[in-house]
């Protein structure tokens, strides 16, 4: 959607508790130019959005964007999401690291080259690849959603048959 009740929203909107559009959240320009949501909210109120979008208001974001609490883009997150079908799920860990679910052909930029992450990627607060999180051979098919248990363990669901070659 690009508007709500005649108000331009840039494909993302925030609502008050009574269902009215929150005028304090005003994405600028075209906003996210393609499919989003999954999304999660950081402890500071900033929003992590993932989807098949490539830009936010004309600025490259490559499937991952962080929005400030007023709806503007937070350029401190440098997205390095690469090939694949695009992310389908996101959760923010208590340490601020971001877990992203996606296709089995997912790659992410590690600062010098794209590396295969097959269905799950974890990035640092600034968007760089968390190299400590290595899902080895990963999932054989797509991961559709991700969630976190209270002990920090990651739950993944999707159309996969095995993880790291284990059925």
């Amino acid at each position: 959607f690009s508007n709500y009740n005649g108000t331009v929203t840039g494909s993302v909107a925030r609502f008050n508790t009574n269902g009215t559009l929150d005028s304090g959240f005003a994405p600028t320009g075209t906003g996210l130019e393609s499919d989003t949501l999954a999304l999660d909210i950081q402890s500071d109120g900033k929003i992590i959005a993932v989807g098949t979008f490539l830009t936010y208001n004309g600025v490259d974001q490559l499937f991952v964007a962080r929005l400030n609490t007023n709806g503007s883009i937070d350029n401190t997150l440098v997205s390095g999401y690469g090939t694949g079908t695009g992310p389908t799920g996101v959760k923010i860990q208590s340490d601020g690291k971001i877990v992203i679910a996606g296709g089995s052909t997912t790659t992410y930029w590690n600062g010098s080259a794209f590396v295969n992450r097959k269905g799950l990627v974890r990035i640092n607060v600034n968007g760089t690849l968390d190299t400590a999180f290595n899902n080895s051979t990963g999932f054989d098919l797509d991961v559709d959603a991700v969630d976190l248990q209270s002990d920090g363990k990651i739950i993944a669901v999707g159309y996969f048959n095995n993880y790291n070659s284990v059925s």
Side-chain angles (χ1 to χ4, degrees):
F1 63 96
S2 60
N3 70 67
Y4 177 80
N5 269 351
T7 301
V8 175
T9 61
S11 299
V12 61
R14 184 172 64 197
F15 299 92
N16 296 308
T17 56
N18 66 0
T20 60
L21 192 63
D22 180 353
S23 61
F25 185 81
T28 55
T30 57
L32 298 165
E33 49 59 59
S34 190
D35 292 341
T36 303
L37 276 92
L39 59 86
D40 202 4
I41 301 173
Q42 295 181 171
S43 60
D44 62 1
K46 292 183 180 183
I47 301 164
I48 300 292
V50 300
T52 58
F53 56 85
L54 300 176
T55 65
Y56 182 86
N57 198 23
V59 177
D60 288 344
Q61 291 303 305
L62 303 176
F63 304 153
V64 181
R66 180 169 39 221
L67 306 181
N68 293 309
T69 57
N70 66 359
S72 65
I73 192 70
D74 177 354
N75 287 317
T76 64
L77 182 117
V78 179
S79 175
Y81 203 90
T83 61
T85 56
T88 53
V90 64
K91 284 294 176 181
I92 301 168
Q93 295 180 315
S94 60
D95 61 1
K97 291 183 179 182
I98 303 161
V99 180
I100 303 170
S104 61
T105 58
T106 299
T107 61
Y108 205 87
W109 185 253
N110 72 359
S112 60
F114 281 103
V115 293
N116 192 348
R117 283 301 184 248
K118 295 199 133 210
L120 280 183
V121 173
R122 186 169 70 188
I123 60 176
N124 297 306
V125 175
N126 65 359
T128 59
L129 181 67
D130 179 3
T131 56
F133 182 80
N134 185 352
N135 59 350
S136 188
T137 57
F139 295 89
D140 65 330
L141 295 171
D142 296 351
V143 177
D144 291 327
V146 64
D147 207 348
L148 303 173
Q149 292 184 171
S150 60
D151 62 1
K153 291 182 181 176
I154 300 167
I155 303 293
V157 297
Y159 292 102
F160 53 87
N161 297 307
N162 64 62
Y163 175 73
N164 288 342
S165 301
V166 177
S167 297

